[in-house]
Amino acid sequence: MQLADLPEEMERANKKAVEIMNSGKALLVDFGSARKAIPGMKDNIVLHAGPPIAYEQMIEPMKAAVQGGLILEGAADDEGAADRLARKGDIEFRPCHEMQSVGPMAGVITPNMYVAVVHNPVFGNKTFCNLHEGRGKILRFGATGKDVIDRLRWMNEVLGPTLREAVSKKPIDLKGIAAEGVQMGDELHQRFKASSLLFLARVAEQLQELENGKEVFRFIAEREQFFLNLSMPAMKALADPADGIRHSTIVTRMTRNGVKFGIQVSGLKGMWFEGEAEIPKGLYFMGFNQNDASRDFGDSAIMETMGLGGMASAAAPAVTRFVGGNSAGAARITEDCYRITCGTSRDFVIPSLEFEGTPTGIDVVKVNETGILPSINTGIAHKKAGIGQIGAGVSYPPMNAFQDAVREFAREYGL
């Protein structure tokens, strides 16, 4: 191919990537233990959020989540023993994204944890995510007390198997729920009130017929962000087929581990481009401030990768107040994001913008040209383990990750 033909080839490749993102489906088809559900999962593997990182380099909340996961597995009796086990070298730590999975905040998935199984029948891929615990002192924010482990055991023994039975007769269209939720005021990273209730309505009849159905119904109803852990694998199921398209500069993954923020690009399959994860800016719960906060972490930026979350700020004025902004600012954020994307969503539309689709297909070249970074809505965790969420706000990826991606793209394609 002649160098002069490359811009046209890039445009075709990016249009193809956006079309793939728009064309897919995301069906919740099953729940099961990670060991049985996730291809390649082994007894000594622990998955975590973000790009690759060694245990010793992890922030304290992620280390604590790993320790809690090992206690849940019965591999250690307490945090000290779990810490020693994690340092021995027998445990293989891998990013969730590299095993078709996602996990919010610490993102820790251990072999016996129940996960949701999401299928994209258009392209034949499956994705996975652990189950939603709730808020407060929970494993994904680095809490490991007895109540946390007891809850996780109940989730493995009751919640997961009951939901598996509930969805066994008929898959649930998660993309459809997400689309409806956006039109009802969810941006699908901080606000899930509408989408969680929509999901609960889909499984209510089946749950009524099951032995533990009422208990599971109550658990979901009391957790307004329950749909978070279903929407994340849904968006990954839609994004993954767009990965690996020659000449495409579309971002297919964004994620962070509390130390590094990593992105991946379609036309540079398998390569991580990283920069420092930042401390989110936002509103803090009483008694906390930015000095208490950890750097951002979690795989939940997969929502922004598909044009939701901060990218869809204009759809959710209630969230704007929660993360420290206003409606006019939310609209500006979304308008800016249109300048760094190659298309719009056909399914996720924003009523206040005349039902325009959310900005879809982040282009690393456009990010470099405009200097505009994707806006990411996020929870804020305390930098010390065991305290949990202390606020919510907005964070941004590091510009150097996008700069490095463009440089590598130029090298790869002979620019």
Side-chain angles (χ1 to χ4, degrees):
M1 184 181 64
Q2 297 295 319
L3 186 60
D5 297 329
L6 187 55
E8 187 176 334
E9 191 64 30
M10 290 166 60
E11 184 178 358
R12 278 198 295 265
N14 287 343
K15 285 182 178 179
K16 179 179 179 180
V18 172
E19 177 60 26
I20 288 172
M21 288 176 165
N22 270 323
S23 299
K25 295 183 179 180
L27 303 180
L28 177 63
V29 295
D30 201 0
F31 292 85
S33 70
R35 181 192 292 106
K36 294 180 180 179
I38 301 175
M41 189 68 174
K42 299 176 183 178
D43 288 342
N44 70 324
I45 289 179
V46 172
L47 303 184
H48 62 79
I53 189 170
Y55 176 78
E56 290 78 10
Q57 297 173 328
M58 292 178 182
I59 58 173
E60 292 306 312
M62 187 176 283
K63 283 181 181 175
V66 169
Q67 294 162 17
L70 294 174
I71 294 170
L72 178 68
E73 292 292 318
D77 292 329
D78 55 36
E79 289 83 355
D83 180 67
R84 290 189 294 273
L85 176 60
R87 293 176 186 275
K88 276 182 62 179
D90 296 334
I91 303 297
E92 182 181 353
F93 294 98
R94 296 193 60 183
C96 290
H97 268 296
E98 293 185 355
M99 293 191 71
Q100 301 165 237
S101 305
V102 278
M105 301 308 292
V108 167
I109 300 176
T110 57
N112 283 309
M113 283 186 184
Y114 253 70
V115 295
V117 181
V118 179
H119 182 220
N120 182 342
V122 178
F123 297 99
N125 59 301
K126 287 185 177 179
T127 53
F128 311 90
C129 187
N130 52 14
L131 305 186
H132 185 71
E133 305 163 76
R135 284 182 168 174
K137 291 188 176 182
I138 51 180
L139 190 77
R140 75 173 190 266
F141 277 100
T144 58
K146 181 179 182 301
D147 55 337
V148 173
I149 303 302
D150 286 347
R151 185 190 306 114
L152 290 168
R153 287 180 176 144
W154 176 86
M155 290 167 67
N156 280 350
E157 295 166 3
V158 178
L159 177 65
T162 302
L163 285 173
R164 182 178 196 184
E165 195 170 352
V167 304
S168 63
K169 297 179 181 178
K170 184 179 180 181
I172 295 176
D173 179 6
L174 298 179
K175 184 179 181 181
I177 292 176
E180 193 171 351
V182 171
Q183 295 193 53
M184 296 171 68
D186 288 356
E187 40 61 87
L188 291 169
H189 196 157
Q190 276 301 312
R191 190 182 193 274
F192 291 90
K193 287 188 176 181
S195 47
S196 291
L197 289 174
L198 289 168
F199 171 75
L200 189 58
R202 299 292 197 279
V203 296
E205 184 176 353
Q206 294 93 319
L207 289 176
Q208 289 178 11
E209 301 171 356
L210 301 178
E211 179 182 356
N212 297 303
K214 289 184 179 179
E215 187 179 7
V216 168
F217 184 97
R218 189 181 310 112
F219 183 87
I220 297 172
E222 291 173 350
R223 286 156 175 81
E224 65 181 44
Q225 286 193 329
F226 190 84
F227 195 67
L228 166 66
N229 294 54
L230 300 176
S231 61
M232 285 175 57
M235 296 308 116
K236 182 168 175 60
L238 298 174
D240 273 4
D243 198 37
I245 299 173
R246 290 281 296 172
H247 304 107
S248 174
T249 54
I250 296 296
V251 175
T252 51
R253 289 167 191 144
M254 295 194 297
T255 183
R256 51 267 202 256
N257 57 31
V259 178
K260 298 293 185 180
F261 191 118
I263 67 170
Q264 293 193 333
V265 179
S266 178
L268 300 169
K269 187 174 176 63
M271 298 183 187
W272 286 105
F273 302 96
E274 303 175 16
E276 188 175 54
E278 70 175 26
I279 296 175
K281 296 178 176 62
L283 296 181
Y284 286 82
F285 302 157
M286 188 174 295
F288 299 104
N289 59 51
Q290 197 161 357
N291 293 327
D292 301 312
S294 73
R295 295 186 181 277
D296 202 15
F297 60 114
D299 290 328
S300 53
I302 190 65
M303 306 309 295
E304 281 79 7
T305 306
M306 279 297 299
L308 297 170
M311 305 278 283
S313 293
V319 171
T320 304
R321 292 184 64 192
F322 185 49
V323 299
N326 54 48
S327 296
R332 283 194 298 272
I333 289 171
T334 299
E335 293 290 353
D336 279 346
C337 289
Y338 285 120
R339 296 176 58 194
I340 59 171
T341 52
C342 289
T344 58
S345 175
R346 291 200 293 262
D347 297 282
F348 310 131
V349 299
I350 303 176
S352 63
L353 298 182
E354 302 298 331
F355 295 92
E356 179 76 8
T358 57
T360 303
I362 299 166
D363 181 356
V364 293
V365 173
K366 291 186 176 183
V367 170
N368 276 270
E369 289 176 344
T370 64
I372 296 170
L373 290 164
S375 176
I376 296 171
N377 289 347
T378 187
I380 304 174
H382 201 286
K383 59 187 176 185
K384 294 181 180 178
I387 297 176
Q389 186 174 7
I390 59 173
V394 176
S395 70
Y396 294 90
M399 179 59 80
N400 71 286
F402 293 86
Q403 293 169 339
D404 290 347
V406 168
R407 291 190 191 100
E408 180 60 28
F409 187 89
R411 190 200 65 78
E412 174 73 17
Y413 293 101
L415 290 178

